[in-house]
Structures are given as C-alpha cells and as structure tokens.
C-alpha cells in the first residue's frame, strides 16, 4: 500500500514538469533579447512552482508515513492483546468459596489477594470469609476488601470442653465447631448447592476456578464421587509430570482436603453427625466415605504456606512445603471429563495397571527403564509399602487403611520420566483399617 502511494506521488511530479515543459514549447517566438528575458523569467517561475510542489508533496508524504505507522501500531496492539471471547466461567452454577479464618491477618490477606486476582466473576464465585476467634486485626483485614467479599463471624466464642488427655489438641475441637457452623450458614442460610472450602493458609493456581467449574458436573452426575479436591498429597515437583501433566485428573479413595468442594446433599448427610474434633480424619473413616472417591489433580491447584497453625507444621518441611503449585492455565471446561465417571475410569485404570511392566525399586532408581513407559511396583504388606514410599519420597502414612492419593490400593505418580503404579498384588481384598 505504501509503495503505491509513493509511486503516485512521483508520477504526479513528473506530470507537472511535463506540463510546464509543453508550455514553453508552444509559446510564440520572440526577439533574442526578449527571448532571453522571457526564458529567465519562466525559469524563475518554474523554480518557484517546483519549490511549492516539492513542499506540498513533502508534507503529503509525511502525513502518509504517519498514517501508515499508526496503522502498524494498531496492528501490533491487536496481536499483543488477547482475543475478546466470552469466558465459559462467566455463566453456570454459582460455586461460592468459603474461606475459614481465625487470627492470622497476614495469611488472610495473602489468600484473599489470590482468590480475588484469579476470580473471573463475583456473581458466580462469591467469596464468604467465616471468622472464628474474634481476632480484631483479622476482622479488619477482611473488612478492608469491602463488597468484594462477605464476612460472617462465628457467634460462639465460648471455651470448649476437651478431654484432659487431649487438651493440647484443643484447636482441633474449635476448628470442627467452626466448620459445622460455617457450612450450615452456606447451605442452610445462603442456600447454596455446592461450596468450595479453603483455609487461610492456601495459595491457589491461576486455573483454580476453572478446575472446580469443570469438575462440578461430574461430581453431580456420579454418586460414587463425594468431593473434588485441588490438592495432590504426593504433588512434589519430582513426583508429578510438570511438563505434560497439567490436565491429568484422577479418582482417589483418600480424602485430600486443602481446597475442596462438596455438595449440599453430602452436607445434609454429614452435618447432623459432624464430629467434635479431628473432622478430616473422621471424614476419611469407612463409615463416612462409604466406598466413595474424590477427584484430584496430577498437579496441585493449591499449596499451603501454613507452617504455623494448629498442626504445628506437621509434615510441612518434609512434604507440604515442596508441593508444586500449577502455573500453566488449563481450560478444563473445554475438556470432556466424563472419563472420570467410575464405570469408564475403573476399566481403563485397571487395564493400565495390569498392562504395566512389573519392576523392582532398584530398576526404578537405577535409571534402567525406558522413559515414557508405564511400570508397576508391587507391595504386599504395610511395612513393604512404607519402605518403598520412603525410598521414592512419597508420603507413607495411612488413614483408615487408605494411603494418600490411593485408588484401589494403588498410588499413581511420575518419577524421573516414568509413570509408576505402586500397587498391591492381584489378590488384594480391599483396604485394611488397621494399616493406620
């Protein structure tokens, strides 16, 4: 376009010169003196006209160059800006976030800052902060966010009766009481159909809301599922596929917590019998779990920074601190996640485990296996499992006989480029609650 404009300008100049030249050729003859004078006069006029034309075309050319540069800049900006598309997260069921808080004002600010930073819609994902303890600085920190969040305060700040031998665990009793009240508020007072629960010591991934929005329909549709968690207990960077695993999701028999979603239906089941303390271990008991599973990611969408708290940093330095937080946005809502439904998932999962090459711990740690392959380590006893888990950096404890991230007794993880199933033998009869 620019070349054509310059060419037209050049043609215009040439035409003008030709017109002036033709004028001289057709002018009537005159005497030599007069001719000399006329020629000088005409040359002066010609020079004057050419100067005027030169100035005119110079100004015009500069204007055209400016317009061209502006068009280029607009084009560059259009390339740099994200395309304007309607996000699927702007429409859909309301999934409120319930943040449980007490007396850590700095932690609350850190958590809320990320929850608000990544929240795509206030209408779809309202944030409710439930505060216990009556800690004024924490309350003021929450109130500083104005209408962006809703603050509710636990009205019962009375002391709680704790058995003498459990007095040092009093915090767990207070937390269980607070959870029960807060969840009753969410489901009974505010009448929500589902709730995403986080505590005040969690960082979240950029696709935190995307993850829960996409998995909610699966949770609703499959009665063998009872929660969705953003957490992988074995989610250290050297135990997950950081490069290619951002979209991988699994079923697990172990309740992970640490950023999880439950439905109103489940709360109507659990709420009336909610325990006085240790609610998370209570949830993991067979009587509550009832052979149901949760959805969990390969790469965690939450990470705890709560070294200080009721648990006094239990497992923090050795495990929790090292959990890798996903940083690559995954559009789960554009995926077909029906593969997580039990009938389909179990069929594929069992085939994968059985088809995997059986290897030894020495094979795995000795770098003898082809990268990208599927391999199986078999354990037969509790001690055997714990020895293998420790050797690989996995969490080795059990809750109600279920190992962390376990599904049908099998731990799925990624180690030095190998997909590994740490699984029981083929004669496995189910979880043994005594393995705790």
């Amino acid at each position: 376009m620019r070349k054509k404009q310059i060419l037209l300008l050049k043609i215009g100049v040439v035409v003008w010169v030709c017109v002036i030249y033709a004028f001289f050729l057709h002018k009537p003859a005159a005497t030599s003196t007069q001719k000399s004078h006329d020629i000088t006069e005409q040359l002066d006029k010609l020079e004057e006209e050419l100067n005027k034309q030169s100035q005119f075309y110079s100004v015009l050319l500069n204007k055209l160059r400016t317009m061209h540069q502006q068009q280029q800049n607009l084009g560059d900006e259009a390339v740099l800006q994200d395309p304007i598309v309607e996000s699927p997260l702007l429409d859909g069921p309301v999934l409120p976030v319930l943040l449980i808080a007490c007396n850590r004002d700095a932690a609350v600010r850190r958590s809320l800052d990320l929850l608000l930073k990544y929240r795509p819609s206030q209408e779809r994902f309202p944030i409710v902060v439930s505060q216990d303890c009556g800690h004024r600085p924490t309350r003021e920190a929450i109130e500083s966010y104005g209408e962006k969040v809703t603050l509710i305060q636990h009205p019962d700040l009375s002391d709680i009766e704790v058995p003498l031998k459990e007095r040092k665990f009093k915090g767990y009793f207070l937390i269980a009481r607070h959870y029960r009240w807060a969840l009753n508020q969410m489901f009974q007072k505010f009448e929500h159909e589902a709730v995403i629960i986080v505590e005040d010591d969690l960082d979240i991934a950029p696709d935190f809301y995307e993850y829960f929005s996409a998995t909610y329909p699966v949770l609703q549709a499959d009665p063998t599922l009872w929660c969705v968690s953003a957490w992988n207990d074995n989610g250290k960077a050297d135990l997950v596929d950081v490069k290619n695993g951002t979209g991988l999701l699994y079923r697990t028999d172990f309740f992970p917590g640490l950023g999880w979603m439950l439905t109103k239906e489940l709360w109507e089941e659990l709420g009336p019998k909610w325990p006085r303390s240790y609610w998370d271990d209570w949830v993991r008991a067979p009587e509550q779990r009832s052979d149901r599973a949760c959805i969990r990611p390969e790469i965690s969408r939450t990470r705890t920074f709560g070294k200080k708290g009721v648990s006094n940093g239990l497992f923090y330095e050795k495990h929790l601190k090292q959990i890798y937080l996903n940083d690559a946005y995954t559009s789960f809502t554009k995926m077909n996640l029906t593969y997580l439904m039990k009938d389909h998932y179990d069929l594929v999962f069992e085939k994968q485990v059985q088809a995997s090459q059986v290897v030894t711990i020495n094979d795995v740690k000795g770098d003898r296996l082809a990268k990208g392959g599927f391999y199986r380590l078999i354990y037969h006893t509790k001690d055997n499992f714990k020895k293998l888990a420790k050797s690989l950096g996995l969490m080795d404890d059990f809750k109600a006989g279920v190992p962390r991230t376990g599904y049908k007794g099998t731990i799925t993880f990624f180690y030095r480029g190998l997909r590994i199933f740490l699984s029981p033998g083929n004669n496995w009869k189910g979880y043994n609650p005594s393995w705790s």
Side-chain angles (χ1 to χ4, degrees):
M1 179 69 183
R2 182 183 172 188
K3 290 182 178 179
K4 289 182 179 180
Q5 292 169 341
I6 294 173
L7 180 60
L8 289 172
L9 290 174
K10 290 181 178 179
I11 292 172
V13 173
V14 171
V15 169
W16 177 255
V17 172
C18 289
V19 169
I20 297 299
Y21 180 70
F23 172 79
F24 285 130
L25 287 178
H26 291 87
K27 189 164 183 167
T31 62
S32 59
T33 303
Q34 185 182 2
K35 184 184 293 185
S36 176
H37 175 75
D38 290 345
I39 290 175
T40 300
E41 185 179 350
Q42 292 299 327
L43 287 173
D44 290 340
K45 288 184 178 180
L46 176 61
E47 182 179 7
E48 183 181 355
E49 290 295 332
L50 288 175
N51 285 334
K52 289 181 180 179
Q53 292 297 322
S54 177
Q55 291 174 3
F56 170 77
Y57 285 116
S58 177
V59 172
L60 181 59
L61 184 59
N62 287 334
K63 288 183 178 179
L64 290 171
R65 282 175 175 165
T66 301
M67 291 171 60
H68 178 69
Q69 186 62 47
Q70 289 174 343
Q71 288 176 343
Q72 277 191 321
N73 292 340
L74 288 173
D76 292 340
E77 290 176 7
V79 171
L80 291 174
Q81 292 174 353
D82 292 331
I84 301 174
V85 294
E86 186 174 351
S87 170
L89 296 185
L90 298 180
D91 296 311
V94 174
L95 296 176
V97 176
L98 171 64
L99 190 153
I100 301 293
C102 180
N103 58 3
R104 296 185 289 187
D105 51 303
V108 165
R109 287 187 182 277
R110 176 169 168 174
S111 294
L112 281 176
D113 284 347
L114 283 180
L115 285 168
L116 291 170
K117 176 182 178 179
Y118 296 129
R119 180 171 68 173
S121 166
Q122 182 169 348
E123 291 70 26
R124 242 205 109 183
F125 303 99
I127 296 172
V128 178
V129 185
S130 181
Q131 187 197 4
D132 199 3
C133 310
H135 188 245
R136 181 176 176 179
T138 300
R139 188 197 75 230
E140 291 175 347
I142 299 165
E143 289 175 338
S144 70
Y145 289 89
E147 296 182 356
K148 295 178 182 178
V149 304
T150 299
L151 170 64
I152 58 175
Q153 293 179 283
H154 190 202
D156 186 1
L157 301 182
S158 63
D159 198 10
I160 192 167
E161 186 178 343
V162 178
L164 182 61
K165 63 179 181 179
E166 296 182 80
R167 282 187 177 176
K168 65 178 180 179
F169 302 119
K170 182 178 181 179
Y172 290 103
F173 287 78
L174 293 171
I175 288 174
R177 182 174 72 176
H178 184 195
Y179 261 82
R180 181 173 186 170
W181 178 83
L183 285 170
N184 276 334
Q185 294 293 298
M186 297 301 287
F187 289 117
Q188 295 175 9
K189 179 179 178 180
F190 299 127
E191 299 183 333
H192 290 298
E193 294 300 316
V195 173
I196 302 167
I197 305 172
V198 295
E199 295 189 3
D200 61 0
D201 59 357
L202 289 182
D203 289 332
I204 66 167
D207 55 0
F208 174 86
Y209 294 99
E210 173 83 17
Y211 172 70
F212 282 109
S213 182
T215 52
Y216 178 56
V218 184
L219 178 63
Q220 283 183 304
D222 189 345
T224 69
L225 289 170
W226 70 328
C227 87
V228 175
S229 173
W231 176 260
N232 177 359
D233 278 292
N234 289 312
K236 299 176 185 176
D238 57 355
L239 293 174
V240 296
D241 188 352
V242 173
K243 184 178 180 181
N244 300 306
T246 57
L248 295 178
L249 304 180
Y250 303 90
R251 293 174 67 103
T252 176
D253 296 323
F254 189 90
F255 171 75
L258 292 174
W260 60 288
M261 176 169 60
L262 78 161
T263 63
K264 182 177 182 179
E265 182 181 4
L266 179 62
W267 181 245
E268 289 174 345
E269 173 192 332
L270 299 181
K273 57 178 181 176
W274 193 251
R276 294 188 65 240
S277 65
Y278 316 115
W279 71 265
D280 49 350
D281 285 344
W282 175 83
V283 163
R284 292 170 180 139
E287 296 79 12
Q288 279 64 251
R289 190 172 71 82
S290 300
D291 292 323
R292 292 172 291 190
C294 294
I295 295 173
R296 61 96 176 170
E298 165 89 356
I299 301 177
S300 287
R301 266 59 188 186
T302 56
R303 179 178 58 200
T304 179
F305 55 86
K307 182 177 181 179
K308 294 181 180 179
V310 173
S311 64
N312 293 317
L314 185 65
F315 291 132
Y316 183 80
E317 291 294 335
K318 191 174 181 181
H319 292 285
L320 305 182
K321 183 180 178 180
Q322 301 177 47
I323 297 298
Y324 182 83
L325 180 65
N326 180 65
D327 59 4
Y329 194 97
T330 302
S331 298
F332 288 109
T333 53
K334 296 180 181 179
M335 298 179 180
N336 182 356
L337 300 183
T338 56
Y339 71 88
L340 293 166
M341 304 284 281
K342 181 176 175 60
D343 290 343
H344 178 76
Y345 186 93
D346 286 3
L347 183 64
V348 174
F349 179 76
E350 289 171 8
K351 283 184 177 179
Q352 281 184 334
V353 174
Q354 294 300 324
S356 299
Q357 179 183 342
V358 177
V359 295
T360 66
I361 188 65
N362 291 331
D363 293 329
V364 173
K365 303 202 73 172
D367 202 26
R368 305 171 186 172
L369 305 172
K371 305 298 183 185
F374 286 67
Y375 303 95
R376 183 182 180 191
L377 282 169
I378 298 178
Y379 69 90
H380 298 283
T381 66
K382 174 183 174 181
D383 290 340
N384 185 204
F385 173 89
K386 293 178 76 70
K387 183 177 180 180
L388 290 170
K390 285 182 178 179
S391 178
L392 294 163
L394 299 163
M395 294 191 78
D396 66 341
D397 61 326
F398 295 82
K399 298 291 183 180
V402 183
R404 293 179 185 266
T405 74
Y407 188 66
K408 295 186 177 295
T410 297
I411 306 296
T412 304
F413 62 101
F414 195 73
Y415 187 83
R416 298 180 183 176
L418 314 173
R419 177 59 63 184
I420 299 176
F421 301 106
L422 176 56
S423 68
N426 292 335
N427 61 345
W428 184 70
K429 303 299 182 183
Y431 296 111
N432 184 346
S434 68
W435 289 20
S436 297

